[in-house]
Amino acid sequence: MSRNWYARASSRRFLALAPVLLMLGFTAWTAILFRRTRDARAWVQHTENVILNSMSALSHVQDAEAGERGYLISGSQDYLATYAMGRDSSRIELARLRRLTSDNPRQQSLLTVLEPIVEQRLMRLDSALTGQRRGDTSVALEIVRSPRGRQLMDSARIIFDELRTEERRLLALRERRQEDDERTTSIVLLVGVLLSALVSFLVSGSFGRAAKRQADISRELLQRNDKLQQQAVAIDIANQQLQEQQVELEASADLMREHTLELERTTDALRQANAAKGMFLANISHELRTPLNAIAGHVQLVEMELHGPVTLGQRGALERVSRAQRHLLALINDILNFSKLEAGRVAFDIEEVDVIALMQDVSAMVESQMTTAGLSFTQHCDATACIVLADEEKLRQILINLFGNATKFTPFGGSVRLDVRPLDGDDTIMLLSVSDTGIGIPEDKLDQIFDPFVQLGAPTAGPLTGAGLGLAISRDLARGMNGELTVSSRVGEGSRFTLALRRATRQS
């Protein structure tokens, strides 16, 4: 009898240990599958980033061309900023493409061919602008008329198309791999649940039969003991309740898994929609900016009377067309920048920036606009040297946005001031403040002005313009540089916008 008891006890211990070993095995296998799925998703995201960066690089080269043509045609310094931004951004995007495709020899070879083509095109643009600045218009005209520039751009577009075609092929392959991994993971989870349920059922049945046998032995030995019989019945009832609870738990687990799968599908759909939105904005912004730049160029050609004499009334109509073109281009740029910030696709190149030099550069850009609006402009810096940690181009964009708002909401005869000083009690923070004597902002509206698409008050320079994204973009750019943009204002007295940035340790 002792041997039978020992055998039964060993069997029960094995049955109790079997589910644990089974669950450990399935847990390890599931972890491996989840890791493979995560890696597949990462590669899909990587491929989407390469496609977006290639499109952005080509767009910046085309922006540089448009800026060069605008400057050659009109002589306006505003086009030089567009040209410089397109030239520098295209080089940055090509370098980023080189890093992103370092694992793909074919893409690396395409970039090896593409980079000198783009660089040669940019050098021709630089040569044309250099000749124009020196007054040697013949050199600029010769370069512009030469078919070499178009040939270089056609070659660049073909290589960019090959880059994107290869990445789309990789994207389709990696998406199929991701779907296969997710399908395998789901099947493994389902099999694991079914096997666990089966083992649990067998173990439960074994324990149930053992309990019944124990109850039979008890009844045979203690037939007259009612108390023990009642305890045996209670044990049976408890076992039934446990089984019912187990069924309920399994049903809850199935429902939880269904919800998890639905959430994953929804997340994937949102990710794909967000990626599609980003690609759409990148495409449509380029498609819209190209004809807008063409409109500006043709308006300037007409104003220069290259197509015949222009009357005074016609010049007024051309000026209204030009203003509408610039306004629409600014709206498109604001919406595109806000979408990139919202999607987290804006990269920040944090470096040491000389604020004094940047102040001089920005002041030269905005003083003429303020003079036209009848405003006085002053600037003051409390520090002999001021170097902050920021992205120079994005810092310039914030300052230009703030100056544009100050000009728009300050009446004729008012003033705008730029102050740069360390934070009181903490010289590791530098404050850049743009103050005006404009109409001011109500206190209960101060938080709303940083919300997207919000416009308050009536500008003194005319009707409301823009999409209401300037301050929202500026604050997001400031936070992306580990800074902050705040405002203080009183109605009728003016407003002060303050940008706080980390000061660089090295000061010269």
Side-chain angles (χ1 to χ4, degrees):
M1 181 176 179
S2 60
R3 290 180 180 179
N4 293 335
W5 177 85
Y6 180 81
R8 289 195 299 271
S10 299
S11 177
R12 286 195 295 271
R13 284 195 296 269
F14 174 78
L15 290 174
L17 186 60
V20 176
L21 296 176
L22 185 62
M23 291 305 297
L24 288 175
F26 269 99
T27 300
W29 192 8
T30 304
I32 294 173
L33 290 174
F34 273 124
R35 184 166 60 253
R36 286 176 53 185
T37 303
R38 181 193 60 200
D39 294 340
R41 290 175 182 170
W43 277 110
V44 169
Q45 182 64 44
H46 172 83
T47 307
E48 292 172 347
N49 289 338
V50 173
I51 294 174
L52 290 175
N53 284 335
S54 67
M55 297 170 64
S56 179
L58 178 58
S59 176
H60 287 310
V61 175
Q62 292 170 336
D63 289 346
E65 279 192 323
E68 178 229 25
R69 292 194 186 98
Y71 177 74
L72 293 179
I73 293 173
S74 66
S76 173
Q77 295 292 325
D78 293 338
Y79 286 101
L80 289 179
T82 301
Y83 164 74
M85 181 176 295
R87 178 195 61 196
D88 297 340
S89 298
S90 64
R91 289 169 175 164
I92 292 172
E93 293 294 342
L94 284 175
R96 186 177 291 115
L97 277 175
R98 174 70 72 175
R99 293 193 302 272
L100 288 173
T101 61
S102 60
D103 61 308
N104 192 325
R106 171 173 170 77
Q107 299 295 63
Q108 290 286 295
S109 63
L110 288 175
L111 285 173
T112 301
V113 177
L114 176 63
E115 288 169 344
I117 293 175
V118 173
E119 190 61 31
Q120 187 176 356
R121 180 55 181 151
L122 294 176
M123 290 175 63
R124 290 180 64 84
L125 298 179
D126 283 335
S127 299
L129 292 177
T130 302
Q132 181 74 5
R133 292 194 192 99
R134 293 176 178 174
D136 190 358
T137 58
S138 62
V139 174
L141 289 174
E142 179 181 357
I143 294 175
V144 171
R145 291 171 178 172
S146 172
R148 181 58 179 165
R150 181 177 296 277
Q151 293 171 358
L152 290 172
M153 282 305 298
D154 290 341
S155 299
R157 289 189 183 95
I158 291 172
I159 298 175
F160 272 117
D161 288 340
E162 291 182 7
L163 277 167
R164 288 194 292 273
T165 299
E166 174 64 11
E167 289 300 325
R168 291 190 183 102
R169 183 188 68 80
L170 291 174
L171 179 61
L173 179 63
R174 288 165 178 169
E175 285 179 339
R176 286 196 299 272
R177 186 177 301 164
Q178 177 185 344
E179 291 173 357
D180 291 341
D181 289 341
E182 291 176 346
R183 188 179 301 109
T184 302
T185 302
S186 300
I187 293 172
V188 169
L189 287 175
L190 180 60
V191 171
V193 170
L194 293 176
L195 288 178
S196 298
L198 178 60
V199 172
S200 299
F201 175 79
L202 294 175
V203 172
S204 177
S206 176
F207 284 128
R209 288 190 295 272
K212 187 176 182 301
R213 285 195 299 271
Q214 185 65 36
D216 292 339
I217 294 172
S218 298
R219 281 194 298 272
E220 291 175 359
L221 296 175
L222 303 172
Q223 294 179 354
R224 299 178 182 179
N225 193 331
D226 294 338
K227 183 177 180 180
L228 290 179
Q229 290 179 354
Q230 293 174 359
Q231 289 177 350
V233 172
I235 291 174
D236 289 338
I237 295 174
N239 286 334
Q240 292 176 1
Q241 291 176 346
L242 288 175
Q243 291 176 358
E244 293 174 356
Q245 291 175 359
Q246 183 176 355
V247 172
E248 293 176 356
L249 289 175
E250 290 175 355
S252 299
D254 290 339
L255 183 60
M256 182 71 71
R257 280 188 291 274
E258 291 177 1
H259 289 168
T260 301
L261 292 174
E262 182 64 27
L263 180 60
E264 290 178 353
R265 288 192 291 268
T266 302
T267 301
D268 290 340
L270 290 175
R271 175 187 58 77
Q272 294 172 4
N274 190 50
K277 182 188 75 173
M279 295 179 67
F280 170 77
L281 288 174
N283 287 326
I284 199 65
S285 64
H286 169 67
E287 295 299 329
L288 290 175
R289 284 188 291 183
T290 298
L292 285 174
N293 289 331
I295 291 172
H298 285 294
V299 168
Q300 291 172 359
L301 290 175
V302 175
E303 289 177 337
M304 295 169 64
E305 299 186 346
L306 295 182
H307 300 292
V310 180
T311 66
L312 184 61
Q314 290 172 338
R315 287 189 182 276
L318 289 173
E319 174 60 25
R320 289 191 292 273
V321 172
S322 181
R323 285 199 303 270
Q325 180 269 342
R326 292 194 299 270
H327 173 57
L328 184 55
L329 184 60
L331 287 177
I332 293 171
N333 288 333
D334 279 349
I335 293 173
L336 178 61
N337 290 335
F338 179 73
S339 299
K340 288 182 177 180
L341 285 167
E342 189 180 42
R345 295 197 304 270
V346 176
F348 290 86
D349 184 13
I350 305 300
E351 59 183 357
E352 295 183 353
V353 178
D354 187 343
V355 176
I356 296 177
L358 183 62
M359 286 170 56
Q360 295 173 353
D361 183 21
V362 175
S363 298
M365 297 173 63
V366 301
E367 279 185 315
S368 60
Q369 179 184 2
M370 294 186 182
T371 301
T372 303
L375 306 178
S376 62
F377 175 70
T378 57
Q379 55 181 333
H380 176 71
C381 181
D382 284 346
T384 57
C386 174
I387 300 176
V388 298
L389 297 175
D391 185 313
E392 183 173 353
E393 290 303 321
K394 294 176 177 58
L395 177 55
R396 179 183 286 107
Q397 181 179 351
I398 293 174
L399 292 177
I400 291 175
N401 282 343
L402 295 180
F403 283 129
N405 280 347
T407 303
K408 187 188 305 182
F409 292 98
T410 302
F412 188 90
S415 63
V416 179
R417 179 180 176 87
L418 172 62
D419 290 293
V420 180
R421 61 180 179 83
L423 177 64
D424 294 339
D426 186 359
D427 60 0
T428 63
I429 302 297
M430 187 60 65
L431 303 180
L432 290 75
S433 300
V434 176
S435 307
D436 61 62
T437 59
I439 61 177
I441 305 168
E443 184 176 358
D444 59 342
K445 305 294 184 182
L446 290 178
D447 292 334
Q448 298 180 20
I449 62 173
F450 292 108
D451 293 335
F453 307 107
V454 171
Q455 294 179 310
L456 301 177
T460 60
L464 285 171
T465 58
L469 294 172
L471 290 176
I473 292 173
S474 297
R475 185 176 64 174
D476 288 344
L477 290 176
R479 291 176 175 176
M481 296 184 293
N482 298 318
E484 187 58 78
L485 180 63
T486 57
V487 62
S488 60
S489 179
R490 288 190 177 185
V491 175
E493 297 183 8
S495 304
R496 174 188 292 267
F497 288 85
T498 301
L499 174 62
L501 292 173
R502 182 68 59 180
R503 196 175 188 182
T505 303
R506 178 183 66 83
Q507 300 292 330
S508 59

